[in-house]
Amino acid sequence: MPPDAAELTVTSEDLLPNVQQKGVDMRVGLDIASLTLKRQVEIIVLVTGDSDFIPAMKFARREGAQLFLVALGHNVLDEMREHADLMLDLD
């Protein structure tokens, strides 16, 4: 039997946003650390304006990797610029 039309009605209460980051920054930071510790990369290209990556950037450079930061028009903190070997601001 087909479902009743009233059962298929979607209301604004059914469309509540779920805006959780789910730890993506942490995972990317761990990948950066792991790859640099294992000497599996020499250059990292990080496309972000998110200052949460500053600790991973510092770590990668201390371990000898070159870090290129691509901002894509985002405002980037001076501290992020300090920890990048090369800064590209592409619009």
Side-chain angles (χ1 to χ4, degrees):
M1 260 175 126
D4 185 73
E7 293 177 29
L8 297 176
T9 303
V10 177
T11 67
S12 61
E13 293 170 5
D14 296 317
L15 303 174
L16 297 175
N18 182 1
V19 289
Q20 296 176 359
Q21 193 170 9
K22 309 233 187 270
V24 173
D25 291 355
M26 176 69 77
R27 289 186 196 123
V28 172
L30 288 171
D31 285 345
I32 290 170
S34 176
L35 291 168
T36 55
L37 274 175
K38 295 175 184 175
R39 306 284 189 244
Q40 292 177 322
V41 295
E42 293 178 8
I43 298 172
I44 295 170
V45 179
L46 190 57
V47 182
T48 188
D50 189 343
S51 61
D52 289 347
F53 288 107
I54 291 173
M57 294 171 70
K58 288 180 180 181
F59 185 87
R61 291 188 69 216
R62 274 195 310 265
E63 291 299 315
Q66 286 186 305
L67 197 130
F68 300 168
L69 181 61
V70 182
L72 295 178
H74 296 284
N75 290 329
V76 174
L77 295 178
D78 288 339
E79 189 177 3
M80 284 189 80
R81 294 175 190 275
E82 291 172 16
H83 296 293
D85 292 296
L86 176 68
M87 172 77 187
L88 299 173
D89 193 3
L90 307 175
D91 291 323

